[in-house]
């Protein structure tokens, strides 16, 4: 809500960049040419599944980040409390799921790189890219796990502040509260209880009665 980060702020920048590094490194330099065989093979122990997993996880993580960035922009327009709650809960679940996928990917790529045979790559081509993909897979574990923790904290803050309560109503959109009646200021006590009445202020130029005053008979 992603989602400062409000509830529902989406994917931060680090997982987005890390996913680009992982799948970009494997796509560009993760496949080597074999002169004897005349075909490409994966740099990770000639295991095509290792390269495919790294590319798939990187691309899907990149698309997930874009999706939650779009959700972050759309989140302030969500008026339903249930939809806001679902958005934050999905942020928790998806972030934890991707942390697990990156953990599997890191272990898988590191293991296949460790058992790779030097004779398959005598010129050490693409070794830096292979190590970069493994390193940023490791970094992605903590970025997605941290995203899940932050989303859970935002969910707790939203629950404590009644943001996700069914009775929550935005004060600016509450039309059931009538406007307070306007009462004119009164210059003195109002014995009738009707409210203040307008009184013309006394002027300094009004003539004051002096001397004899006529009386009505």
């Amino acid at each position: 809500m992603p989602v400062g980060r409000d509830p529902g702020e989406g994917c931060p920048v680090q997982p987005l960049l890390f996913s680009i590094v992982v799948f970009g490194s494997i796509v560009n330099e993760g496949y080597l040419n074999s002169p004897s065989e005349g075909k490409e093979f994966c740099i990770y122990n000639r295991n095509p599944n290792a390269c495919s997993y790294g590319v798939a996880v990187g691309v899907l993580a990149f698309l997930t980040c874009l999706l939650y960035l779009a959700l972050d922009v759309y989140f302030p327009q969500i008026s339903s409390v249930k939809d806001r709650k679902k958005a934050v809960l999905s942020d928790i679940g998806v972030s934890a799921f991707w942390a697990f996928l990156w953990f599997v990917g890191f272990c898988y790529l590191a293991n296949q790189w460790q058992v790779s045979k030097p004779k398959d790559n005598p010129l050490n081509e693409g070794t830096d890219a292979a190590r970069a993909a493994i390193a940023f897979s490791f970094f992605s574990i903590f970025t997605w796990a941290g995203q899940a923790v932050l989303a859970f904290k935002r969910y707790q803050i939203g629950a404590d502040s009644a943001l996700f309560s069914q009775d929550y109503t935005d004060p600016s959109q509450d039309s059931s509260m009538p406007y307070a009646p306007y009462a004119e200021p009164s210059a003195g006590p109002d014995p009738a209880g009707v409210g203040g009445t307008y009184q013309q202020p006394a002027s300094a130029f009004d003539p004051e009665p002096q001397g004899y005053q006529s009386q009505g008979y």
Side-chain angles (χ1 to χ4, degrees):
M1 279 170 191
V3 252
R5 293 177 59 81
D6 297 329
E9 188 170 350
C11 180
V13 179
Q14 291 84 355
L16 186 68
L17 297 178
F18 292 171
S19 62
I20 295 176
V21 172
V22 172
F23 78 79
S25 299
I26 297 176
V27 169
N28 291 329
E29 300 184 46
Y31 293 91
L32 303 178
N33 294 319
S34 176
S36 59
E37 298 177 3
K39 62 179 180 179
E40 293 183 341
F41 63 90
C42 179
I43 195 174
Y44 296 102
N45 195 30
R46 288 179 170 264
N47 188 352
N49 295 328
C51 289
S52 299
Y53 185 89
V55 172
V57 170
V59 171
L60 292 177
F62 175 77
L63 296 177
T64 303
C65 285
L66 294 181
L67 176 63
Y68 274 88
L69 286 175
L71 178 62
D72 182 23
V73 176
Y74 180 70
F75 188 84
Q77 302 178 7
I78 301 177
S79 59
S80 175
V81 176
K82 292 183 179 180
D83 292 339
R84 291 184 179 182
K85 186 176 181 180
K86 291 179 181 178
V88 179
L89 289 176
S90 67
D91 192 4
I92 299 173
V94 171
S95 299
F97 177 70
W98 276 110
F100 171 75
L101 290 182
W102 280 117
F103 174 77
V104 174
F106 165 73
C107 295
Y108 190 24
L109 294 179
N111 175 261
Q112 293 299 307
W113 177 252
Q114 186 177 5
V115 298
S116 297
K117 300 177 179 62
K119 65 178 183 179
D120 293 334
N121 187 16
L123 300 178
N124 293 327
E125 297 178 1
T127 55
D128 292 337
R131 293 190 182 99
I134 295 174
F136 281 93
S137 296
F138 179 75
F139 298 152
S140 298
I141 299 172
F142 297 97
T143 55
W144 284 99
Q147 173 73 5
V149 173
L150 292 177
F152 180 73
K153 289 183 178 180
R154 292 195 302 272
Y155 177 78
Q156 288 183 325
I157 294 174
D160 294 339
S161 62
L163 179 62
F164 302 135
S165 176
Q166 297 294 337
D167 299 331
Y168 175 79
T169 305
D170 189 356
S172 62
Q173 300 179 359
D174 188 5
S175 59
S176 61
M177 181 179 297
Y179 291 99
Y182 173 77
E184 297 180 355
S186 177
D190 187 7
V194 177
T197 56
Y198 175 76
Q199 296 182 359
Q200 184 177 0
S203 175
F205 299 100
D206 292 344
E208 297 181 357
Q210 297 179 356
Y212 175 77
Q213 297 180 359
S214 61
Q215 298 180 357
Y217 293 96

